[in-house]
Amino acid sequence: MWEKFPELQHDLQKTVQLMEEILHLKNKQVEAAILEMIHSGGKLLRPAYQILFAQFGPEKEPEKIIALAAAIELLHTATLIHDDIVDQADLRRNTPTIRSQFGNSTAVYAGDYLFVSCFKLMADYATSMKSLQMNSRSMEKILAGELGQMDKHYYTEVSIEEYLENISGKTAELFALSCSIGALESGSSQLFAKKAAEIGHHIGMAFQMLDDILDYSQASQKLGKPVLEDVRQGIYSLPLLYALKENPEDIKPILAKKAAMTKEEAQTIFTLVHETNGLQNAQVLAEEYTEKALKEIAKLPNRPTGVKETLLEITKMILHREN
Amino acid sequence: MWEKFPELQHDLQKTVQLMEEILHLKNKQVEAAILEMIHSGGKLLRPAYQILFAQFGPEKEPEKIIALAAAIELLHTATLIHDDIVDQADLRRNTPTIRSQFGNSTAVYAGDYLFVSCFKLMADYATSMKSLQMNSRSMEKILAGELGQMDKHYYTEVSIEEYLENISGKTAELFALSCSIGALESGSSQLFAKKAAEIGHHIGMAFQMLDDILDYSQASQKLGKPVLEDVRQGIYSLPLLYALKENPEDIKPILAKKAAMTKEEAQTIFTLVHETNGLQNAQVLAEEYTEKALKEIAKLPNRPTGVKETLLEITKMILHREN
């Protein structure tokens, strides 16, 4: 995926190397499983954006940039491990989850350990307390969001605004954080860091919507995370929310069966989403956020040469992906 | 418990107030449950030591001291919530655990949220990056320790040294951190902070041993956390380890039944620990650490008046408690 951008690819390889180096667990099986999780197709999007936004600043400290990129990816991995407990997920990216391999207990501590490794890297490498404060504020927002959603499962009246608020906490916040920490820790102004955060936010919003859309594409049903399992667990994403607005009569009675929904009924939901304008409407909204992001990136400085162009190209690649 | 120390009591009340103020969850039931956990008889020992060690330094910033004390207690509470998931505990201090009230999923995020609140307070109030680094190093040690132990359940050959290493990570580390952050963030020297950490370490070691000893006292069987459940789950603490050395023939076959152990068999373990020198030997070792702590506290500066005496009195009170 990063082959077209050799410098960035090189930095991302070093990011992964650093993550490997700092993970030290007595239990080597768990250590290996975490490393496998890091390797197995994680796209390293957040570190990539962080590294790219760090190019605009006056301070060039490659070691620090890599360390902070690794911190963000560790944070991301920690949240995935804990999300898999909550979602009772057995597979992620076609690899068995930590909880399915070692049980929920190990997964709880493994996630905690990665959280802490993230903060350790931040405390060791960040120059400004401001970054650490931003980091903890973001994390707080993400977790308060997750906790707020816990009792909203099976709630069929979720408005589009609430969905946007949810994914803003869940996904966009971490993209925004990556971009702004990259900016801030390379000596860019607070104003520039704020702009970077906005761009990151738009990218994150579009990214999550696209993820939710792709969950309903035929192909993704073969992938690790079947959307219909989410639906059975009461998690309703954008395409389904749009479909619900259009055809509540047919959809609501099936959703009301909650976890008792059969596979056939879940398949009906899938068909109903495809028969309404659920997917198209979701695509239109995702495209709006993509356009906002691209428009703002286009306004970034032209120096250093090529960074803006790389940002544009990568953002298009990610937000127009088809699987 | 703190009535004899009105100034400290006042500071601890403010610490709890601050914890209440910063917890903001959309889910008010979960928020209430966390607050109840904070109120229900938590002894606030770690904040107390942190506040007392902060008295020796030249810098007097009450607001900051309270904030950092709250951070430590939030960290402690976070680890308890996650420990209760791992131990499948239904009660703690006679109050239903978060996991038993709201399920493991909510408990995972609730613990994460408190972890992050701790880091947020630290980042907002700590003056030196050094404290943040110490904080994350300690946490890393604690979690690496917990993860290392996960596959040691039901292991009957745990040596006393391994037990000491375990509780050093599990309990003593957080006491050491509290004392040293108190010292460092009030402007004391690194050397003094190191001494504070040593004292905290000894206190934490003795505290955990005493906890493990009290678990085997008759009275504690009525309390929230029956030790025999731990034994069934394969967690063997100091009195049992000493008893195992003395009478492996009778004890090992029962332990070998693991989770299938009946209540009567667990009761037999309890009796066997009482019949050997398990409890006395554990008491002797705990007393050694208590003496080390008291001896080092006695060497602390006499100014400000009364702080050293309070430290001595509290430490004796805690480490000679009988329930």
Side-chain angles (χ1 to χ4, degrees):
Chain A
M1 160 164 191
W2 301 114
E3 275 163 27
K4 281 181 66 187
F5 316 97
E7 274 178 64
L8 181 60
Q9 187 179 35
H10 175 252
D11 283 349
L12 289 173
Q13 279 161 354
K14 290 186 84 171
T15 305
V16 172
Q17 268 170 30
L18 181 62
M19 289 167 76
E20 290 173 358
E21 278 165 34
I22 62 165
L23 288 179
H24 289 296
L25 293 177
K26 277 190 207 167
N27 187 326
K28 292 299 162 198
Q29 283 180 298
V30 177
E31 187 182 284
I34 294 174
L35 288 175
E36 194 184 340
M37 193 173 167
I38 288 167
H39 286 130
S40 70
K43 296 188 202 78
L44 298 168
L45 295 181
R46 294 151 194 86
Y49 278 107
Q50 184 160 337
I51 290 166
L52 287 169
F53 270 96
Q55 308 304 314
F56 293 106
E59 291 160 24
K60 307 281 172 223
E61 296 175 75
E63 198 195 345
K64 170 173 149 180
I65 298 301
I66 300 293
L68 296 177
I72 287 287
E73 189 66 12
L74 286 171
L75 183 56
H76 178 55
T77 310
T79 62
L80 295 183
I81 292 176
H82 281 180
D83 286 349
D84 286 339
I85 300 176
V86 172
D87 302 339
Q88 301 175 38
D90 291 329
L91 286 175
R92 175 176 290 277
R93 300 170 195 149
N94 289 319
T95 305
T97 56
I98 304 285
R99 72 164 279 284
S100 73
Q101 287 185 69
F102 304 101
N104 283 346
S105 299
T106 297
V108 169
Y109 287 144
D112 289 352
Y113 176 78
L114 293 190
F115 266 127
V116 167
S117 302
C118 158
F119 280 107
K120 188 169 159 247
L121 272 180
M122 293 285 298
D124 283 347
Y125 285 94
T127 317
S128 87
M129 273 293 185
K130 175 87 186 161
S131 310
L132 285 162
Q133 289 162 1
M134 281 175 13
N135 190 321
S136 17
R137 262 181 210 24
S138 288
M139 278 309 299
E140 198 186 26
K141 228 183 260 183
I142 294 169
L143 289 163
E146 295 278 20
L147 277 164
Q149 272 181 269
M150 297 287 305
D151 54 350
K152 294 285 170 60
H153 285 191
Y154 300 114
Y155 183 59
T156 51
E157 310 298 322
V158 183
S159 67
I160 303 302
E161 287 69 32
E162 282 170 295
Y163 167 82
L164 293 178
E165 202 189 308
N166 287 343
I167 68 169
S168 168
K170 199 173 80 171
T171 310
E173 188 63 32
L174 203 52
F175 275 89
L177 181 71
S178 305
C179 296
S180 58
I181 284 188
L184 205 64
E185 285 288 333
S186 59
S188 288
S189 68
Q190 297 263 1
L191 195 70
F192 185 80
K194 203 166 163 261
K195 179 54 67 187
E198 276 169 33
I199 295 173
H201 173 82
H202 296 324
I203 295 171
M205 295 295 283
F207 181 77
Q208 183 61 53
M209 286 181 220
L210 189 56
D211 232 33
D212 291 344
I213 292 163
L214 291 173
D215 272 349
Y216 278 92
S217 77
Q218 297 293 347
S220 88
Q221 291 305 308
K222 295 173 203 151
L223 286 181
K225 195 200 164 202
V227 63
L228 298 177
E229 191 46 44
D230 275 3
V231 173
R232 253 209 296 267
Q233 288 187 28
I235 303 161
Y236 308 148
S237 75
L238 193 58
L240 179 53
L241 294 176
Y242 274 126
L244 256 170
K245 284 188 164 193
E246 230 175 282
N247 184 0
E249 314 79 46
D250 289 333
I251 300 179
K252 273 193 183 177
I254 306 182
L255 295 183
K257 305 202 170 177
K258 299 186 172 179
M261 191 187 294
T262 65
K263 286 209 169 176
E264 290 68 32
E265 288 166 329
Q267 193 55 47
T268 308
I269 294 281
F270 188 76
T271 311
L272 286 167
V273 170
H274 278 263
E275 281 173 6
T276 64
N277 291 308
L279 280 167
Q280 290 94 308
N281 287 341
Q283 261 147 357
V284 169
L285 194 57
E287 192 53 31
E288 275 178 33
Y289 279 89
T290 302
E291 283 309 315
K292 276 195 239 184
L294 293 174
K295 208 173 124 191
E296 293 300 321
I297 293 172
K299 292 186 205 157
L300 290 173
N302 290 316
R303 304 271 157 148
T305 319
V307 177
K308 181 161 86 175
E309 287 68 27
T310 303
L311 274 171
L312 281 171
E313 208 170 331
I314 286 174
T315 306
K316 281 181 201 161
M317 188 168 84
I318 293 165
L319 300 183
H320 293 144
R321 77 191 190 283
E322 283 174 5
N323 57 55
Chain B
M1 161 165 192
W2 302 113
E3 277 164 26
K4 280 181 68 187
F5 315 98
E7 273 178 64
L8 181 59
Q9 188 179 32
H10 175 252
D11 283 350
L12 290 173
Q13 279 161 355
K14 289 185 84 170
T15 305
V16 172
Q17 268 171 30
L18 181 62
M19 290 166 75
E20 289 172 0
E21 278 166 33
I22 62 166
L23 289 179
H24 289 296
L25 294 177
K26 276 190 210 168
N27 187 327
K28 292 301 162 193
Q29 283 181 299
V30 176
E31 187 182 284
I34 295 175
L35 288 175
E36 195 184 340
M37 192 174 169
I38 288 168
H39 286 131
S40 70
K43 296 189 201 77
L44 299 168
L45 295 180
R46 294 150 194 85
Y49 278 106
Q50 184 160 336
I51 289 166
L52 288 169
F53 269 96
Q55 308 305 313
F56 293 106
E59 292 160 23
K60 306 284 173 223
E61 295 176 76
E63 199 196 344
K64 171 173 151 180
I65 297 303
I66 300 293
L68 297 177
I72 286 288
E73 189 67 12
L74 287 171
L75 183 56
H76 177 54
T77 311
T79 62
L80 295 183
I81 292 175
H82 281 180
D83 286 350
D84 287 339
I85 300 175
V86 171
D87 301 341
Q88 301 174 38
D90 291 328
L91 286 174
R92 174 175 293 273
R93 302 171 193 148
N94 288 319
T95 305
T97 56
I98 304 285
R99 72 165 280 283
S100 73
Q101 287 186 70
F102 304 101
N104 283 345
S105 299
T106 298
V108 168
Y109 288 145
D112 290 351
Y113 176 77
L114 293 190
F115 266 126
V116 167
S117 302
C118 158
F119 280 107
K120 189 171 160 246
L121 272 180
M122 294 283 300
D124 283 348
Y125 285 94
T127 317
S128 86
M129 273 294 185
K130 174 88 186 159
S131 309
L132 285 164
Q133 289 162 359
M134 281 176 13
N135 191 322
S136 18
R137 264 182 208 22
S138 287
M139 278 309 300
E140 198 185 27
K141 227 184 259 183
I142 293 170
L143 288 164
E146 296 278 18
L147 278 164
Q149 272 180 269
M150 297 288 304
D151 54 350
K152 294 287 169 59
H153 284 191
Y154 300 113
Y155 182 60
T156 52
E157 310 298 323
V158 183
S159 67
I160 303 301
E161 287 68 32
E162 281 171 295
Y163 167 82
L164 293 178
E165 202 189 308
N166 287 343
I167 68 168
S168 169
K170 199 172 77 168
T171 309
E173 187 64 29
L174 202 51
F175 275 89
L177 181 71
S178 304
C179 296
S180 58
I181 284 189
L184 205 64
E185 284 288 334
S186 59
S188 287
S189 68
Q190 298 261 3
L191 195 70
F192 185 79
K194 202 166 164 258
K195 177 54 69 186
E198 275 170 32
I199 294 173
H201 173 82
H202 295 326
I203 294 170
M205 294 295 281
F207 181 78
Q208 184 60 53
M209 286 182 219
L210 188 57
D211 232 33
D212 291 344
I213 291 163
L214 291 173
D215 273 348
Y216 278 93
S217 78
Q218 298 293 347
S220 87
Q221 291 307 306
K222 296 173 202 153
L223 286 182
K225 195 200 164 202
V227 62
L228 298 176
E229 191 45 46
D230 273 5
V231 172
R232 253 208 296 267
Q233 288 188 27
I235 302 162
Y236 307 148
S237 75
L238 192 59
L240 179 54
L241 293 176
Y242 273 127
L244 256 171
K245 283 190 165 190
E246 230 175 282
N247 183 1
E249 314 79 45
D250 289 333
I251 299 177
K252 273 194 184 177
I254 306 181
L255 296 183
K257 304 201 171 178
K258 299 187 174 179
M261 190 187 296
T262 65
K263 285 211 169 176
E264 291 68 33
E265 287 166 332
Q267 194 56 47
T268 309
I269 294 281
F270 187 75
T271 311
L272 286 166
V273 169
H274 278 264
E275 281 172 7
T276 64
N277 292 309
L279 280 167
Q280 290 95 308
N281 286 341
Q283 261 146 358
V284 168
L285 193 58
E287 193 53 31
E288 274 178 34
Y289 278 89
T290 302
E291 284 308 315
K292 274 195 239 185
L294 294 174
K295 210 173 123 190
E296 293 300 321
I297 293 173
K299 290 187 207 158
L300 291 174
N302 290 317
R303 301 275 156 148
T305 319
V307 178
K308 180 161 88 175
E309 287 69 26
T310 303
L311 273 172
L312 282 172
E313 211 171 328
I314 286 174
T315 306
K316 281 180 200 160
M317 190 168 83
I318 293 165
L319 300 182
H320 291 145
R321 77 190 189 284
E322 284 175 2
N323 56 57

